[in-house]
Amino acid sequence: MTLKDFFIKFDLKKLKIGFKFAGMEITFIDSDKDAAWDMYIELITRVAVQKLPEDSGDEKTALDSVYSLFATTRTILKQYGRSAQQFSKIAVIVLNQIIRPFTAKWHKISLEEGNMLGADFRNELESLQVDLLNYARLLATIADVEDISEIAIA
């Protein structure tokens, strides 16, 4: 399967990848699987994929949780290094094209408005969560484990 086909399979079609990488056949070795497992567990246990009910939760904390995926991803990338190259390609693309635009926009707004991010933030978070759940499903597939993200959602 090509990298492009892999993204399409998990409904991550909006990701833009260069022609060189799009047609690249991907196969996952144990290091890729282990890195994907670590990222999968981090992802499904955060508000990044959990519903944030209108009458509870804290927008700033939710934003911080999504933002922390940068440090988490970097830690995993450093831990597995060059031996998890296929995972690295996917993780960096998702980080830069899905998570970064969201955090960049809302970080600036949070600096201006403090903790009062409001309904627009929650709506965009909900949209982001769809992509991140698809990413979680993709990670479960790479890790060769049963995807429990649907039952992990509160």
Side-chain angles (χ1 to χ4, degrees), residues 33 55 70 105 137:
K33 293 175 183 184
D55 58 346
F70 284 95
K105 174 184 177 176
R137 290 178 31 241

Side-chain angles (χ1 to χ4, degrees), residues 91-151:
V92 169
I93 290 169
V94 169
L95 200 63
N96 287 330
Q97 293 187 29
I98 292 177
I99 300 170
R100 185 178 305 281
F102 177 86
T103 56
K105 174 184 177 176
W106 289 104
H107 178 72
K108 180 177 174 144
I109 293 170
S110 76
L111 292 175
E112 295 166 355
E113 299 183 23
N115 198 32
M116 305 302 290
L117 296 175
D120 287 342
F121 172 81
R122 286 175 181 264
N123 290 336
E124 285 192 35
L125 176 63
E126 201 170 290
S127 181
L128 174 70
Q129 289 169 329
V130 171
D131 287 334
L132 293 179
L133 274 170
N134 288 334
Y135 180 42
R137 290 178 31 241
L138 176 149
L139 292 168
T141 298
I142 294 171
D144 198 22
V145 298
E146 178 184 3
D147 176 24
I148 60 167
S149 60
E150 292 297 327
I151 62 172

Side-chain angles (χ1 to χ4, degrees), residues 32-140:
D32 293 307
K33 293 175 183 184
D34 293 341
W37 169 253
D38 287 358
M39 190 69 217
Y40 175 74
I41 292 301
E42 288 287 338
L43 195 57
I44 68 167
T45 59
R46 293 177 184 271
V47 73
V49 298
Q50 300 293 321
K51 296 202 182 306
L52 187 63
E54 186 177 320
D55 58 346
S56 65
D58 176 75
E59 289 97 357
K60 180 68 168 90
T61 301
L63 177 59
D64 291 345
S65 180
V66 172
Y67 179 73
S68 73
L69 292 172
F70 284 95
T72 299
T73 303
R74 287 183 195 114
T75 298
I76 292 169
L77 291 172
K78 290 175 187 175
Q79 178 182 349
Y80 292 96
R82 290 174 275 200
S83 64
Q85 289 186 27
Q86 302 301 347
F87 166 79
S88 298
K89 291 171 190 168
I90 292 168
V92 169
I93 290 169
V94 169
L95 200 63
N96 287 330
Q97 293 187 29
I98 292 177
I99 300 170
R100 185 178 305 281
F102 177 86
T103 56
K105 174 184 177 176
W106 289 104
H107 178 72
K108 180 177 174 144
I109 293 170
S110 76
L111 292 175
E112 295 166 355
E113 299 183 23
N115 198 32
M116 305 302 290
L117 296 175
D120 287 342
F121 172 81
R122 286 175 181 264
N123 290 336
E124 285 192 35
L125 176 63
E126 201 170 290
S127 181
L128 174 70
Q129 289 169 329
V130 171
D131 287 334
L132 293 179
L133 274 170
N134 288 334
Y135 180 42
R137 290 178 31 241
L138 176 149
L139 292 168

